[in-house]
Amino acid sequence: MRNRLNRFGCFGFWMSQTFLIGGILVAITPHVCAQDAVVPLKRDDFHLFLLVGQSNMAGRGDVADSDRVVHPKLLSLDQQGEWTVAVDPLHFDKPKAVGVGPGRTFGLRYAAEHPEATVGLIPCAAGGSSISAWKPGGYHDQTDSHPYDDTIRRAKVALRSGVLKGVLWHQGESDSNATGARAYADKLRELVERLRTDLGSPGVPFIVGQLGQVSERPWSTHRQIVDSAHRSLSRVCDNVAFVSSDRLVHKGDQIHFDAASARTLGERYYDALKHLDEKRTAGQSSRE
């Protein structure tokens, strides 16, 4: 896929790279745009991650200069379906509200520990969306979008260039009520199974983030039910991990994580993925 970095400009110069192919060193000159953002020529070298859910995945933290520093091997799929450098805000669900979320910090950790890969983030969260919108045909009026259908469409565009390595999910605030909570566990399980099937990625890691814990706003029974669904998902779906929100704080609105907490959450998402990978590797070794 052609790189288009229209937010930053494209200078259209070339940078040589050397690869070992079949024991022979081959020099390749991929097209390089502003900020040195390059989509790898080999799909297996481009590791993709879906960022899905509602506002705390999209991010509402205040953006600092550090959130705008470019990492040349961390890319994001923009609203037009083109790869660009990944700087906050990544999402575009509510342009006047978007800010720092967990996705970029997760991607930076992954890139640091997988230097052989380029990381591609696929932002698809929709602030305020209930899980009922995360099914085929589901509509979300606040963002005038079809969250599930849009996610599948965008992910399939991204998958032309890379391989899906994980799904990061943070959602449930909009279902923490009498009508949404009771059915939440079944809908979440169905979502995991449907995403994996529709994207041809059976068993892809699915990481669930815990809802924010706000001392000024104790959890209702309905929020506890949603939390229980998050915690117990790994019992009904393979390769699932749960990420705690302990000690994270809100930005003053009693809903959204502040920027520092969103970054910490991104670190925890990465640690959870790493733990799943280690468990899978250990299991494979034990069978050999």
Side-chain angles (χ1 to χ4, degrees):
M1 180 186 298
R2 178 176 59 90
N3 274 351
R4 193 180 111 204
L5 296 157
N6 50 354
R7 276 183 279 174
F8 304 95
C10 182
F11 300 141
F13 60 93
W14 297 78
M15 177 181 291
S16 296
Q17 292 186 343
T18 303
F19 297 85
L20 184 64
I21 303 177
I24 302 173
L25 287 174
V26 179
I28 300 175
T29 53
H31 188 258
V32 180
C33 287
Q35 323 307 20
D36 294 347
V38 181
V39 174
L41 298 178
K42 292 175 58 180
R43 287 185 71 246
D44 286 348
D45 292 339
F46 199 15
H47 297 186
L48 307 179
F49 294 91
L50 272 178
L51 309 179
V52 283
Q54 55 183 113
S55 56
N56 272 317
M57 177 55 72
R60 299 295 188 252
D62 294 337
V63 178
D65 289 345
S66 60
D67 303 309
R68 305 285 300 174
V69 175
V70 169
H71 188 297
K73 298 187 76 173
L74 179 61
L75 309 184
S76 178
L77 195 72
D78 71 12
Q79 192 169 8
Q80 289 71 44
E82 309 257 7
W83 290 110
T84 183
V85 289
V87 295
D88 280 320
L90 297 174
H91 281 80
F92 37 81
D93 59 317
K94 296 182 178 181
K96 293 182 179 180
V98 290
V100 175
R104 185 171 183 272
T105 298
F106 168 88
L108 289 170
R109 276 287 306 280
Y110 191 95
E113 298 198 22
H114 297 78
E116 77 288 355
T118 296
V119 182
L121 304 176
I122 313 168
C124 297
S129 58
S130 74
I131 200 168
S132 295
W134 289 89
K135 63 183 180 182
Y139 176 71
H140 182 232
D141 58 353
Q142 292 183 28
T143 54
D144 188 24
S145 66
H146 295 81
Y148 185 81
D149 295 339
D150 293 345
T151 294
I152 296 301
R153 174 182 54 81
R154 285 171 53 75
K156 287 184 175 180
V157 168
L159 285 167
R160 298 173 192 164
S161 303
V163 179
L164 188 63
K165 293 291 185 176
V167 178
L168 279 58
W169 173 258
H170 198 286
Q171 190 276 339
E173 293 91 344
S174 293
D175 291 278
S176 297
N177 52 58
T179 56
R182 297 292 178 185
Y184 189 85
D186 286 341
K187 289 182 178 180
L188 183 58
R189 175 185 53 79
E190 291 167 1
L191 171 66
V192 175
E193 295 172 350
R194 188 188 306 117
L195 266 176
R196 287 171 168 174
T197 298
D198 289 350
L199 295 179
S201 301
V204 68
F206 192 96
I207 318 296
V208 181
Q210 187 178 31
L211 302 181
Q213 304 174 57
V214 180
S215 59
E216 305 96 320
R217 191 179 177 186
W219 279 6
S220 66
T221 299
H222 302 121
R223 186 158 291 209
Q224 291 171 357
I225 292 172
V226 171
D227 181 67
S228 177
H230 289 158
R231 291 175 179 272
S232 62
L233 182 64
S234 61
R235 299 180 202 154
V236 294
C237 295
D238 293 334
N239 216 17
V240 167
F242 172 80
V243 173
S244 169
S245 65
D246 288 353
R247 301 179 303 284
L248 302 184
V249 300
H250 62 88
K251 57 181 288 186
D253 59 5
Q254 300 184 10
I255 299 172
H256 301 112
F257 298 122
D258 67 10
S261 292
R263 296 185 198 103
T264 299
L265 188 63
E267 297 271 1
R268 294 178 183 179
Y269 271 105
Y270 178 77
D271 289 338
L273 177 72
K274 185 175 181 180
H275 181 63
L276 282 179
D277 287 343
E278 289 170 348
K279 281 177 58 179
R280 184 171 62 251
T281 300
Q284 291 171 348
S285 298
S286 67
R287 291 192 296 270
E288 291 176 355

